[in-house]
Amino acid sequence: MASGLSVFLVEDEALIRMMMADMVEELGHHVVAEADNVQDASAYAMTAQYDLAILDINLMGVYVDPVADLIERRGKPFLFATGYGPELLPSLLRRRPILRKPIALDQLKAIIDSMFPKASNAVPS
């Protein structure tokens, strides 16, 4: 597949998920899995091949921390994209990067570049 990162998106709002997928693609990365609920996200968290996961904190009224735990067990990096603050997360997950909604392309790029400095060198600005 093309250069760039493989990204797993977890977002329950279809329009926001599509917008985020477009931004990920615009930055030269590619979305390899998407989920809108904890059950599907948990399955992908353990089986999909991805470099980075972007997780909404609240999926249809259910918090995403079980999915984050699974991703952490695999040793995969992830960040949260949310309108909520870190106070909704278990304390061990509060150290993860948080991208505030509404998400801007430059903010998404900055956070991905900070997590993957080598990837930003391969992607055109």
Side-chain angles (χ1 to χ4, degrees):
M1 193 164 249
S3 64
L5 300 172
S6 299
V7 179
F8 169 34
L9 284 179
V10 179
E11 168 62 56
D12 60 341
E13 296 288 336
L15 290 176
I16 295 172
R17 192 172 60 251
M18 289 186 320
M19 177 197 73
M20 289 173 58
D22 287 346
M23 287 195 286
V24 165
E25 300 281 336
E26 188 172 334
L27 292 173
H29 309 300
H30 46 278
V31 175
V32 295
E34 297 181 28
D36 66 357
N37 62 72
V38 169
Q39 183 177 349
D40 292 344
S42 295
Y44 285 129
M46 293 305 295
T47 60
Q49 296 302 314
Y50 55 90
D51 301 312
L52 170 67
I54 301 174
L55 311 174
D56 185 8
I57 289 178
N58 183 335
L59 302 173
M60 298 179 222
V62 179
Y63 293 117
V64 76
D65 48 301
V67 179
D69 288 340
L70 292 171
I71 293 168
E72 191 164 56
R73 280 191 230 158
R74 275 186 80 183
K76 299 282 188 178
F78 62 93
L79 63 96
F80 295 103
T82 185
Y84 297 107
E87 63 277 357
L88 294 178
L89 296 168
S91 60
L92 292 176
L93 295 176
R94 290 183 190 162
R95 70 183 184 277
R96 296 295 178 163
I98 294 181
L99 190 57
R100 293 293 199 159
K101 291 178 183 175
I103 298 165
L105 183 63
D106 61 334
Q107 293 171 327
L108 180 60
K109 181 180 183 340
I111 203 164
I112 291 174
D113 288 353
S114 72
M115 294 175 76
F116 295 90
K118 292 181 182 176
S120 64
N121 295 335
V123 177
S125 297

